[in-house]
């Protein structure tokens, strides 16, 4: 009927989920009867607080009891804590005293051992060291005694019973250390057998018997024990060696089994034993020789080099870039890179002496796999052409060099650290050994020279045949030089034909050389009369010269990559001589000789000179410029390390270029002579009536005066205009053009000055003189002349005016000249007296006015 008093313990308040609000609500809920909580609210019924009061009174009483319990437990715990603190303090003090006592004891012991009191320090230290050394020595003696005992037991066993049961038991235990010990004992037993059982060693037995006989011992076998049965003799050497072979075979088989199972720890144990047994030669040979890479590649390496014909033709074509390394060799090298990188990690885990194993593995890879395939590729390339061989050699060496660099960068057994110095030396040595046969002596540079000679001779074949047909009888020193050039052409041509007809030359190379030469077959090269020529075959071609320089640049690039640095200056000098011989002497100089011959043929020509040979000089100048630029920027700098060779190259280049420049200057001078001779011949055809027309020629009107110039002037103007066009084409806008035209202008002006002294001129003819002179001046001023020369052309205008002005104007003009005038470059000094010859050619020179002027001059 009455609500039950609340019950709770300390656990309720110690819970983490305890809340005061929830606790009060639970007390209130327990105080209200259930029927009142669930029924409807009756507003008329009064609130009854008694149940709540009783409930909270019971709760307060219970809380008071719990508070008293807590206080009593707190007192008990505080008392226990104080007792524990007192006990801890006592323990710490006790331990501190014991520590101090231990430190003091240690100090006393240390002082007693080290003798810190006075001179006892050194004696104590020495005593301690001696005790330690003695203990170590005793331990070593004990181990040595045990080893000696076991060795004696094994020897007695093999010598008395012909067995090695102790070693067999040790071998069968399978422990790596045990097997190493077996190998060591087996070697020691062989040494004992050689000394104590010489009968098992025939060579040693003879020497021992001789020695024993010399010392009075009659061959007594003192190696046998007194208890041994003298009637039974065992060949101890054969027994020990047989055991050693069995031990080695077992270890090798076990190593191979571990290798197949990828048990690297087992492989390492076997490798360690075998290294201690025979230096590891057998296990290294087993690992390398039975490697799957060599088994898989054994047939592929030696199979014939294939490839499509188009690739080999591109390799032999000098005008096409090299296609690169041969595909089968490239595939092999790529596989070698992967295999070596993968196997290096295995080698490091399987061998304690991994650098030695890696060196043997790399040596086998390079000497067997790469070298055999490389030789086949180069042999195939050599059957194609010399250029194909050189290109294959370069691409192969470059690709293998990249392989070596990649392996060094990877680190192999030291990955990811840099490769060790020992393995680096192995790689470098193997790489160098691959290409030693191809660079012995001067074999490489001779191939390069032969290749360029064949290409140059093919390219210039038609050119040399064309110019060899020109007949030249030497009458001067320059002509003698031209004759020697023709002889050089003939020898080069014969050498080229002999080379084409040689059986040593591959068919593909012959076809390529004939294509470069523009020939159909070898028979057409032998029968020169059957070759179709055009004028272009005898002219210089800048495109051909660029091809020659491109071939040379490719050879120089190979030279720098393949040749040793010490031989580079000499090799470059050899290529320079080749370039100067073919492009300089056999090409440019021959063209200059032809131009000089053409100019000489025009000197006594009855018709107008043919100056087309000048146009070929443009190509000559361009080729000379290209050649000099190539020599100065490419070849000579490569010989900078060798002063003597560089000076010889510079000297040779200067001599050749000076000779070509002299020939060029000779052509220019001969052209000037030819032009001036023809102008002089045209001037000689001038009619006297041209400048002194009769009255009836005027036709009463002046139609004659409407002519622009005389026929002679027109011919000269046309000829010089054509000359100027040829000169501009040949020399472009250069100092050579200005020098040539200035010299011609000086000569033409001089001829005109002398020309107008020869003809009488009347008043009407004076007008034609001024027209001719004006036309000459207009033509010469249109040329690319030296600016210092142009003012001297004014003298021609002045001379023309002398024929058309009256006496009074003539007097004033001459008075205005003063004492003299300057004729400009090539004109000299002009005095008034120099003009007298022209005034005298006036028709009215005998008149009083003109005579007065003449007397004043």
């Amino acid at each position: 009927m009455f609500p039950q008093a609340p019950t709770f313990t300390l656990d309720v308040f110690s819970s983490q989920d305890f809340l005061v609000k929830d606790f009060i609500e639970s007390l209130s809920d327990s105080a209200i009867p259930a029927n009142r909580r669930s029924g409807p609210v009756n507003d008329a019924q009064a609130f009854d607080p008694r149940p709540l009061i009783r409930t909270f009174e019971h709760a307060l009483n219970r809380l008071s009891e719990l508070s008293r319990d807590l206080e009593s437990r707190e007192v008990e715990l505080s008392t226990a804590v104080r007792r524990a603190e007192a006990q801890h303090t006592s323990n710490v003090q006790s331990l501190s005293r014991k520590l101090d006592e231990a430190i003091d004891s240690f100090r006393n012991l240390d002082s007693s051992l080290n003798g810190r009191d006075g001179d006892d320090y050194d004696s104590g230290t020495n005593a301690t060291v001696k005790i330690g050394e003695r203990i170590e020595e005793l331990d070593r003696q004990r181990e040595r005694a045990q080893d000696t005992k076991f060795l004696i037991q094994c020897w007695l066993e093999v010598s008395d019973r012909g067995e090695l049961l102790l070693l067999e038991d040790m071998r069968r235990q399978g422990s790596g250390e045990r097997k190493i010990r077996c190998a060591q004992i087996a070697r020691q037993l062989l040494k004992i057998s050689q000394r104590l059982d010489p009968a098992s060693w025939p060579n040693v037995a003879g020497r021992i018997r001789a020695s024993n006989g010399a010392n009075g011992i009659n061959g007594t076998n003192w190696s046998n024990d007194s208890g041994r049965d003298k009637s039974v003799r065992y060949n101890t050497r054969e027994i020990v060696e047989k055991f050693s072979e069995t031990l080695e075979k077992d270890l090798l088989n076990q190593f191979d089994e571990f290798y197949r199972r990828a048990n690297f720890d087992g492989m390492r144990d076997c490798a360690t034993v075998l290294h201690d047994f025979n230096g590891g030669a057998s296990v290294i040979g087993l690992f390398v020789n039975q490697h799957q890479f060599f088994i898989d590649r054994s047939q592929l390496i030696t199979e014939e080099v294939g490839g499509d014909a188009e690739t080999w033709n591109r390799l032999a074509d000098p005008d096409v870039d090299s296609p690169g390394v041969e595909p089968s060799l490239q595939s092999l090298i790529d596989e070698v890179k992967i295999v070596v990188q993968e196997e290096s990690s295995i080698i490091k885990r399987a061998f304690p002496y991994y650098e030695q194993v890696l060196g043997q593995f790399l040596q086998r890879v390079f000497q067997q796999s790469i070298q055999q395939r490389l030789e086949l590729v180069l042999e195939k390339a050599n059957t194609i052409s010399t250029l194909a061989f050189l290109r294959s050699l370069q691409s192969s060496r470059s690709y293998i060099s990249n392989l070596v660099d990649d392996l060094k960068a990877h680190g192999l057994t030291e990955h990811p650290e840099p490769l060790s110095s020992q393995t680096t030396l192995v790689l470098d040595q193997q790489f160098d050994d691959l290409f030693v046969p191809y660079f012995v002596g001067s074999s490489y540079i001779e191939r390069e020279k032969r290749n360029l000679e064949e290409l140059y001779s093919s390219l210039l074949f038609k050119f040399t045949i064309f110019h060899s047909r020109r007949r030249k009888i030497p009458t001067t020193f320059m002509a003698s030089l031209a004759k020697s050039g023709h002889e050089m052409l003939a020898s080069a041509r014969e050498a080229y034909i002999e080379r084409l007809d040689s059986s040593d030359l591959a068919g593909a190379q012959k076809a390529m050389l004939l294509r470069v030469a523009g020939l159909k077959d070898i028979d057409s090269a032998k029968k020169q009369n059957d070759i179709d020529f055009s004028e272009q075959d005898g002219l210089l071609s800048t495109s051909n010269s660029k091809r020659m320089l491109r071939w040379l640049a490719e050879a120089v690039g190979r030279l720098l990559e393949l040749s040793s640095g010490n031989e580079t200056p000499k090799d470059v000098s050899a290529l320079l001589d080749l370039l100067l011989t073919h492009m300089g002497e056999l090409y440019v100089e021959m063209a200059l000789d032809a131009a000089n011959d053409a100019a000489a043929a025009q000197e006594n020509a009855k018709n107008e000179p043919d100056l087309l040979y000048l146009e070929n000089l443009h190509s000559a100048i361009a080729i000379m410029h290209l050649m000099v630029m190539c020599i100065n920027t490419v070849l000579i700098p490569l010989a900078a390390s060798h002063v003597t060779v560089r000076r010889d190259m510079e000297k040779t280049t200067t001599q050749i270029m000076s000779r070509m420049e002299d020939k060029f200057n000779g052509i220019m001078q001969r052209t000037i002579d030819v032009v001036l001779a023809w102008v002089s011949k045209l001037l000689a055809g001038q009619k006297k009536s041209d400048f002194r027309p009769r009255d009836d020629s005027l036709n009463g009107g002046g139609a004659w005066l409407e002519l622009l110039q005389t026929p002679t002037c027109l011919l000269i103007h046309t000829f010089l205009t054509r000359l100027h066009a040829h000169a501009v084409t040949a020399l472009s806008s250069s100092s050579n053009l200005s020098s040539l035209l200035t010299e011609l202008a000086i000569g033409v002006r001089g001829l005109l000055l002398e020309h107008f002294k020869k003809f009488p001129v009347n008043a009407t003819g004076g007008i034609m003189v001024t027209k001719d002179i004006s036309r000459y001046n207009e033509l010469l001023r249109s040329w690319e002349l030296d600016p210092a020369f142009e003012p001297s052309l004014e003298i021609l205008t002045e001379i023309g005016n002398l024929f058309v002005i009256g006496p009074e104007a003539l007097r004033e003009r001459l008075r205005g000249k003063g004492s003299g005038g300057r004729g400009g470059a090539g004109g000299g000094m002009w005095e008034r007296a120099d003009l007298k010859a022209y005034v005298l050619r006036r028709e009215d020179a005998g008149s009083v006015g003109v005579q007065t002027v003449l007397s004043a001059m």
Side-chain angles (χ1 to χ4, degrees), residues 746-805:
I746 293 173
V748 171
R749 190 200 63 173
L751 292 176
L752 292 176
L753 291 176
E754 293 298 325
H755 176 68
F756 289 115
K757 291 180 181 180
K758 302 176 182 178
F759 294 88
V761 180
N762 59 16
T764 306
I767 297 175
M768 296 306 299
V769 171
T770 57
K771 288 185 177 182
D772 283 359
I773 290 178
S774 177
R775 194 63 180 269
Y776 291 136
N777 268 335
E778 180 183 355
L779 174 63
L780 295 179
R781 290 181 186 277
S782 67
W783 289 1
E784 295 79 358
L785 301 177
D786 187 348
F789 170 73
E790 291 187 5
S792 66
L793 295 176
E794 294 294 335
I795 189 62
L796 292 176
T797 304
E798 293 295 333
I799 291 175
N801 292 332
L802 293 179
F803 294 107
V804 297
I805 61 177

Side-chain angles (χ1 to χ4, degrees), residues 560-719:
L560 294 178
E561 184 176 347
L562 301 180
S563 179
S564 62
N566 296 332
E567 298 298 325
T568 298
K570 294 181 180 179
D571 295 342
V572 171
S573 177
L575 296 182
L576 173 64
D577 294 338
L578 192 66
L579 178 67
L580 292 175
T581 299
H582 287 81
M583 184 180 288
E585 298 179 12
L586 298 180
Y587 196 44
V588 176
E589 286 197 40
M590 288 300 102
L592 293 177
D593 290 339
N596 186 66
D597 294 344
Q602 305 300 321
E603 289 181 343
N604 299 320
K606 296 181 180 180
N607 298 322
E608 180 179 328
D610 185 4
L611 303 178
L612 286 175
Y613 65 87
L614 288 176
E615 296 183 1
N616 202 28
L617 297 181
H618 176 73
S619 298
I621 295 173
I623 294 173
M624 290 169 62
H625 177 71
L626 289 174
M627 185 166 58
V628 171
M629 184 171 60
C630 175
I631 293 173
N632 292 334
T633 59
V634 177
L635 298 181
I636 292 181
L638 294 178
S641 59
H642 200 298
V643 178
T644 304
V645 174
R646 179 177 59 81
R647 288 177 179 175
D648 291 340
M649 292 172 64
E650 292 175 347
K651 181 179 179 181
T652 303
T653 303
T654 303
Q655 290 176 350
I656 299 296
M657 298 308 299
S658 298
R659 191 166 68 220
M660 288 190 287
E661 290 174 358
D662 291 340
K663 291 186 177 183
F664 179 83
N665 293 333
I667 296 172
M668 293 294 100
Q669 186 59 50
R670 182 155 285 178
T671 300
I672 293 172
D673 295 340
V674 169
V675 171
L676 294 181
W678 185 251
V679 170
S680 178
K681 185 175 182 179
L682 292 178
L683 289 175
Q686 184 91 51
K687 297 180 180 179
K688 292 186 177 181
S689 60
D690 289 343
F691 302 132
R692 194 179 181 185
R694 296 188 299 273
D695 294 338
D696 56 355
S697 65
L698 298 178
N699 294 325
W704 182 84
L705 293 176
E706 294 179 0
L707 296 175
L708 297 178
Q709 65 274 321
T710 62
T712 301
C713 178
L714 179 60
L715 292 175
I716 294 175
H717 184 277
T718 303
F719 172 68

